[in-house]
């Protein structure tokens, strides 16, 4: 069910299948489930949620961190849901932020593809793309990977200016 403001209402029972303690106290058995900004891949527009919806969310977060705004700003609520149904591409981060490394911009834009099939197939594929970008930047600025765990890198440079230029 979609509420009047375009958010999906999800039944969120506790592990037992019954409402959890907070829901019993409030008398509210529903929670606002899809925050504004996740129109693609949400029920109500005929598209099921799957793991690629999370990849969309990562793209929105990366866009917001770099551009300082939502990719579809100033749209809200129902406008976001309607925009999700239109066959128009999402705005590119390249238009919002000048000078981003091409690889990073491509990753963000791919996360924000409206068709789930065009996004990364998994979070692991997204992580691999991230790691590839880091390693390319290191090589371009004569940096050296000291240690790597998950999505974190410990790196070394011959000079501070090389580290700053690497970004």
């Amino acid at each position: 069910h979609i509420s009047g403001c375009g958010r999906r209402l999800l039944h969120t029972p506790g592990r037992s299948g019954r409402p959890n303690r907070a829901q019993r106290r409030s008398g509210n058995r529903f929670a606002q489930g899809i925050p504004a900004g996740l129109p693609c891949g949400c029920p109500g527009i005929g598209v099921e949620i799957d793991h690629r919806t999370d990849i969309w969310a990562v793209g929105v977060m990366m866009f917001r961190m770099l551009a300082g705004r939502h990719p579809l700003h100033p749209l809200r609520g129902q406008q976001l849901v309607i925009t999700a149904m239109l066959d128009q591409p999402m705005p590119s981060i390249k238009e919002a932020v000048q000078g981003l490394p091409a690889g990073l911009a491509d990753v963000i834009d791919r996360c924000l593809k409206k068709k789930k099939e065009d996004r990364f197939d998994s979070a692991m594929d997204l992580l691999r793309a991230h790691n590839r970008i880091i390693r390319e930047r290191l090589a371009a600025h004569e940096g050296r990977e000291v240690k790597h765990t998950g999505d974190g890198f410990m790196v070394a440079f011959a000079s501070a200016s090389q580290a700053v230029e690497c970004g």
Side-chain angles (χ1 to χ4, degrees), residues 7 29 33 36 39-40 102 113 129 135 147-148 152:
R7 293 187 179 130
R29 293 186 62 179
C40 295
K113 295 288 185 185
R135 289 183 175 115
K147 184 178 178 182
H148 167 252

Side-chain angles (χ1 to χ4, degrees), residues 39 44 47 56 58 65 70 87 112 128-129 144-145 149 163:
V47 180
W56 164 273
V58 169
M65 286 188 288
H70 188 283
D87 193 26
L112 292 174
R128 285 185 196 104
R144 182 174 58 87
E145 181 179 332
T149 57

Side-chain angles (χ1 to χ4, degrees), residues 32-139:
Q32 297 290 32
I34 304 297
L38 297 179
C40 295
C42 69
I45 62 171
V47 180
E48 289 298 317
I49 290 177
D50 68 9
H51 62 283
R52 291 169 296 187
T53 303
D54 292 336
I55 291 171
W56 164 273
V58 169
V60 170
M61 289 185 290
M62 289 190 293
F63 193 108
R64 289 187 76 146
M65 286 188 288
L66 294 169
R69 64 176 178 81
H70 188 283
L72 294 172
H73 177 79
L75 302 181
R76 300 221 179 265
Q78 287 287 36
Q79 294 171 320
L80 288 171
V81 174
I82 291 168
T83 301
M85 293 186 284
L86 298 176
D87 193 26
Q88 297 174 348
M90 290 291 294
S92 173
I93 187 72
K94 296 170 192 171
E95 298 163 9
V97 180
Q98 303 301 314
L100 281 180
L104 177 60
D106 292 341
V107 165
I108 294 169
D109 287 345
R110 185 170 173 190
C111 287
L112 292 174
K113 295 288 185 185
K114 285 190 175 180
K115 292 182 181 177
K116 294 186 301 182
E117 300 77 26
D118 294 338
R119 298 178 202 153
F120 290 96
D121 289 328
S122 68
M124 204 58 174
D125 288 345
L126 175 55
L127 180 61
R128 285 185 196 104
H130 162 270
N131 292 350
R132 189 170 38 255
I133 292 167
I134 298 296
R135 289 183 175 115
E136 288 170 1
R137 299 282 299 171
L138 282 173

